[in-house]
Amino acid sequence: HVQLVESGGGSVQAGGSLRLSCAASGYTGSRRCMAWFRQAPGKEREAVAVIDSFGESSYANTVKGRFSISKDNARNTLYLQMDSLKPDDTAMYYCAAERGRSTVVAGYALSFPDQIFDYYGQGTQVTVS
């Protein structure tokens, strides 16, 4: 049974930083494409950062240059480093994983996330004021 548990959210002032973590269990994540999504009140869920099994990453234009996604395969943990945060970054942030196709590339997964990701965590709230 795949479980994804996010942590690290909180409240921060504009310009500040946060680091989100996602602990994965029930599988080994090294060969899986994984991602961070976010959903703000009244808005659709959007994929903001993806890392594929080759270690390549892709970012939404709204976060490019400010957010960085990474994986620690030994710890089965996904991270999202968020710098220069803006009030528009306020949202619930979710970790996601695909079932292990291993051939999914980050750019494609970012463009067509609904086709790719099978598992989602419960989310962690990020509030920027």
Side-chain angles (χ1 to χ4, degrees):
H1 176 64
V2 175
Q3 265 198 317
L4 302 172
V5 180
E6 302 94 337
S7 62
S11 296
V12 64
Q13 291 189 335
S17 298
L18 283 174
R19 188 192 196 203
L20 306 184
S21 299
C22 171
S25 61
Y27 72 89
T28 301
S30 61
R31 292 191 176 273
R32 294 175 188 260
C33 188
M34 299 187 72
W36 288 97
F37 287 72
R38 69 184 181 187
Q39 186 167 21
K43 294 187 177 180
E44 291 189 359
R45 184 177 63 189
E46 64 170 333
V48 296
V50 175
I51 186 165
D52 61 30
S53 61
F54 306 103
E56 296 297 317
S57 56
S58 189
Y59 298 90
N61 288 334
T62 50
V63 306
K64 197 173 295 183
R66 300 187 298 120
F67 289 13
S68 178
I69 189 171
S70 62
K71 276 195 304 181
D72 184 333
N73 291 327
R75 295 175 182 267
N76 239 10
T77 302
L78 181 73
Y79 300 101
L80 185 68
Q81 178 67 41
M82 305 186 295
D83 298 320
S84 302
L85 283 161
K86 305 175 181 179
D88 283 349
D89 296 318
T90 295
M92 186 71 78
Y93 283 72
Y94 300 89
C95 169
E98 56 92 16
R99 65 175 181 264
R101 300 171 185 84
S102 81
T103 58
V104 176
V105 295
Y108 183 89
L110 185 72
S111 297
F112 304 100
D114 290 342
Q115 298 180 13
I116 300 301
F117 295 100
D118 305 290
Y119 308 106
Y120 293 84
Q122 294 299 306
T124 184
Q125 178 68 36
V126 172
T127 303
V128 185
S129 60

